[in-house]
C-alpha cells in the first residue's frame, strides 16, 4: 500500500456479467474469503474483490464461473387417513438428489418455524433416492400448507410444499 494505510477488503458477486453487484463480505482484514455457494442458485457468476486503504480503492474482477448446486427434489405421494381416527394423516413421498446421498427429510406445519423428522421407509436416510413418510395427528377441518425439505450429504437442501384440505364430510 503506497499510502501506508490499513487495507480493508470487500468481496462482491454479480449474476449479470457485472451490471449489478451484491455484497458477500466487507471489512475483511485479509485478502481471502471462503464463499459457501450452497445458498446461491445455479448459474454463472463473477466475483469482485476491492481493497481500500481509506484513500484509494483498487478492484479486481474474476472471470465468469459456474455454480452448480443441484438441489434435492421432493415428490409427494398420496395422503392417507388412518382408519378410525379421522384426524390422523400419513403422508409420504420420495426425496432425490442428483449427485449425493439424502441424509435428512423434515416437514413443517407452521411455515417452517418448527421442523419435525420424517421417517425413511428403509429406516435410514443414506441413498440418493429415499422414500419417506410422516404421520400427523390432531388435524381439524381446514386448509394446511405442509412444507417438506430434504438435505443431502453436501448440506444442500431442497424444499417443496403441499396444500392439504381436510374435510371430514358434511355435518350431521
Amino acid at each position: 500500500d503506497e499510502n501506508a494505510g490499513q487495507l480493508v477488503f470487500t468481496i462482491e458477486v454479480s449474476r449479470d456479467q457485472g451490471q449489478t453487484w451484491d455484497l458477500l463480505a466487507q471489512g475483511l482484514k485479509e485478502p481471502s474469503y471462503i464463499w459457501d455457494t450452497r445458498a446461491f442458485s445455479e448459474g454463472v457468476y463473477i466475483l469482485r474483490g476491492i481493497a481500500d486503504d481509506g484513500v484509494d480503492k483498487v478492484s479486481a474482477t474474476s472471470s465468469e464461473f459456474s455454480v452448480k448446486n443441484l438441489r434435492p427434489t421432493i415428490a409427494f405421494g398420496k395422503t392417507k387417513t388412518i382408519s378410525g381416527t379421522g384426524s390422523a394423516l400419513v403422508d409420504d413421498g420420495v426425496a432425490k438428489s442428483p449427485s449425493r446421498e439424502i441424509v435428512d427429510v423434515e416437514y413443517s406445519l407452521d411455515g417452517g418455524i418448527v421442523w419435525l423428522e420424517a421417517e425413511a421407509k428403509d429406516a435410514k436416510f443414506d441413498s440418493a433416492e429415499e422414500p419417506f413418510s410422516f404421520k400427523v395427528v390432531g388435524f381439524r377441518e381446514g386448509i394446511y400448507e405442509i412444507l417438506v425439505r430434504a438435505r443431502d450429504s453436501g448440506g444442500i437442501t431442497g424444499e417443496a410444499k403441499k396444500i392439504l384440505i381436510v374435510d371430514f364430510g358434511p355435518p350431521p
Side-chain angles (χ1 to χ4, degrees), residues 71-92:
R71 297 185 183 282
T73 60
I74 297 162
F76 289 104
K78 291 188 176 184
T79 303
K80 300 167 206 76
T81 302
I82 297 173
S83 299
T85 63
S87 65
L89 303 171
V90 174
D91 214 335
D92 64 9

Side-chain angles (χ1 to χ4, degrees), residues 1 10 28 36 40 51 54 60 62 80 84 88-90 93 95-96 103 110 112 116 121 159 171-172:
D1 174 32
T10 300
L28 300 172
D36 183 355
F40 286 77
S62 74
K80 300 167 206 76
L89 303 171
V90 174
K96 294 182 186 179
V103 296
D110 60 7
L116 305 166
K121 291 274 179 124
E159 291 188 7

Side-chain angles (χ1 to χ4, degrees), residues 32-166:
S32 66
Y33 177 71
I34 297 174
W35 180 27
D36 183 355
T37 63
R38 291 179 292 188
F40 286 77
S41 60
E42 293 182 23
V44 177
Y45 292 85
I46 300 172
L47 290 176
R48 176 168 66 183
I50 302 167
D52 183 353
D53 67 1
V55 177
D56 296 316
K57 289 185 181 183
V58 176
S59 68
T61 305
S62 74
S63 56
E64 290 184 342
F65 60 91
S66 295
V67 170
K68 294 191 181 259
N69 288 329
L70 300 174
R71 297 185 183 282
T73 60
I74 297 162
F76 289 104
K78 291 188 176 184
T79 303
K80 300 167 206 76
T81 302
I82 297 173
S83 299
T85 63
S87 65
L89 303 171
V90 174
D91 214 335
D92 64 9
V94 176
K96 294 182 186 179
S97 174
S99 58
R100 297 182 179 98
E101 295 83 25
I102 297 293
V103 296
D104 190 33
V105 176
E106 300 172 306
Y107 67 97
S108 175
L109 302 172
D110 60 7
I113 296 170
V114 175
W115 291 92
L116 305 166
E117 294 289 326
E119 294 181 22
K121 291 274 179 124
D122 65 357
K124 187 175 181 185
F125 292 113
D126 60 358
S127 63
E129 183 172 327
E130 284 287 351
F132 65 88
S133 67
F134 55 89
K135 178 176 143 182
V136 181
V137 296
F139 272 118
R140 295 190 172 128
E141 288 191 333
I143 300 173
Y144 297 89
E145 180 180 84
I146 300 174
L147 299 176
V148 175
R149 69 181 177 192
R151 183 171 47 90
D152 69 19
S153 60
I156 298 171
T157 59
E159 291 188 7
K161 71 178 174 179
K162 179 177 188 175
I163 303 300
L164 179 64
I165 300 172
V166 177

